[in-house]
Amino acid sequence: MTFSIAAHDGDAWGVAVASRFVAVGSVVPAVRLGVGAVVTQSMARWAYRDEVLDALGRGAEVGPALGAATAADAGRASRQVGAVGATGAATFTGDECFPWAGGRAGGDATTAWAVHGNILTGPEVVDAMEEAFLAAAGRRLDERLLAALLAGDAAGGDSRGRQSAALLVLAPGAGYDASGVLADLRVDDHPQAPTELARVHAVATLVFGGPEDVAPLEGSLRDEVAAHLVTLGHRPTPAPDGVERALGAWMSGANLENRHSPAGIDARVLAELRSAAAALTDS
């Protein structure tokens, strides 16, 4: 009763999943940085996660690792499981999974993916997910996985509707305090869970992301930023760095400290500043 994609792209590893089931992110995905990513669904078997990841960590190929885990499970006919490892991907769908059920797997040591689902509207769901993932080549893995999930949802998704979604992506040095967590987001109960996950992802990317597309605070841009800050109650002092200090104070209140740059203002910070000032002016 779920559709998901597990993938790795370079040194990033992750899973995106959605379901007409509460808190799917608490059950389906498992990721180990540098080792692999696993999903267990349909009549999910929690032990698959560690069994497959442990085998991959010992150097097993993903196909044999997945095969050994399912072969040892008497309930495998009602299971669905997929994994990516260092050299590729594999997926398994038991004969007793509720239709439509199936998956696709592909890739190599650079990029690999395993897409699968059960109780779907049809095979077009996994087809759309695979196509969207491949079309998003060159983007960050969290963005590629989210694009695949939204494509699957748009193609029909879970035939029973929507309830929860999750995105878990690890990459070396990524995320808050270089924790290695690029994305760890869940929507546990929402009537439009995939699109709500996309909204939360946009907010998290804004808050946790570092400076990008930084423009110098000079000339007309400096004047514009100063005017917006005045609107928002952060009037710059006459000091040479008055605008920078006022901007820093506003960014701190908006939880945007990670995007601070001594070289100027981050493009997304500028967009947020403009939006906040406009909202206050319009009110």
Side-chain angles (χ1 to χ4, degrees):
M1 45 217 173
T2 300
F3 57 100
S4 65
I5 175 170
H8 87 82
D9 189 2
D11 57 4
W13 304 75
V15 172
V17 57
S19 180
R20 177 64 171 87
F21 187 83
V22 69
V24 70
S26 68
V27 177
V28 169
V31 182
R32 287 187 196 169
L33 189 59
V35 175
V38 176
V39 297
T40 174
Q41 54 198 51
S42 188
M43 301 301 290
R45 182 173 184 265
W46 187 275
Y48 278 158
R49 304 175 2 153
D50 284 339
E51 289 171 354
V52 176
L53 289 171
D54 287 349
L56 293 175
R58 293 190 296 267
E61 294 290 318
V62 66
L66 199 63
T70 54
D73 175 24
R76 60 186 174 275
S78 61
R79 318 280 196 201
Q80 193 170 49
V81 57
V84 293
T87 59
T91 182
F92 169 84
T93 298
D95 294 339
E96 296 177 9
C97 289
F98 294 118
W100 187 88
R104 311 274 188 274
D108 51 30
T110 301
T111 304
W113 60 93
V115 186
H116 14 61
N118 60 94
I119 320 186
L120 303 184
T121 57
E124 65 276 4
V125 176
V126 293
D127 291 344
M129 293 176 71
E130 184 177 49
E131 290 169 6
F133 178 79
L134 294 174
R139 298 169 64 186
R140 291 187 333 198
L141 182 57
D142 57 326
E143 296 171 338
R144 296 187 72 178
L145 293 175
L146 188 57
L149 196 73
L150 292 174
D153 181 63
D158 189 322
S159 62
R160 302 162 308 152
R162 305 175 179 91
Q163 187 167 6
S164 66
L167 178 66
L168 176 60
V169 184
L170 307 182
Y176 188 82
D177 197 31
S179 62
V181 180
L182 183 57
D184 186 2
L185 306 170
R186 283 172 42 179
V187 174
D188 285 345
D189 188 17
H190 192 282
Q192 299 294 332
T195 52
E196 176 65 5
L197 180 68
R199 186 194 68 79
V200 173
H201 175 262
V203 174
T205 301
L206 172 67
V207 172
F208 292 132
E212 54 186 314
D213 298 327
V214 175
L217 272 176
E218 300 172 347
S220 60
L221 179 59
R222 186 181 186 86
D223 293 341
E224 179 194 353
V225 168
H228 291 324
L229 290 168
V230 169
T231 298
L232 295 167
H234 292 270
R235 183 178 296 276
T237 68
D241 63 348
V243 174
E244 288 80 0
R245 287 179 177 273
L247 176 61
W250 176 80
M251 289 175 63
S252 179
N255 291 320
L256 297 176
E257 300 98 321
N258 285 342
R259 290 186 174 272
H260 178 267
S261 172
I265 185 168
D266 165 279
R268 293 193 65 177
V269 170
L270 179 59
E272 288 296 307
L273 181 68
R274 287 169 171 164
S275 178
L280 194 59
T281 301
D282 292 343
S283 64

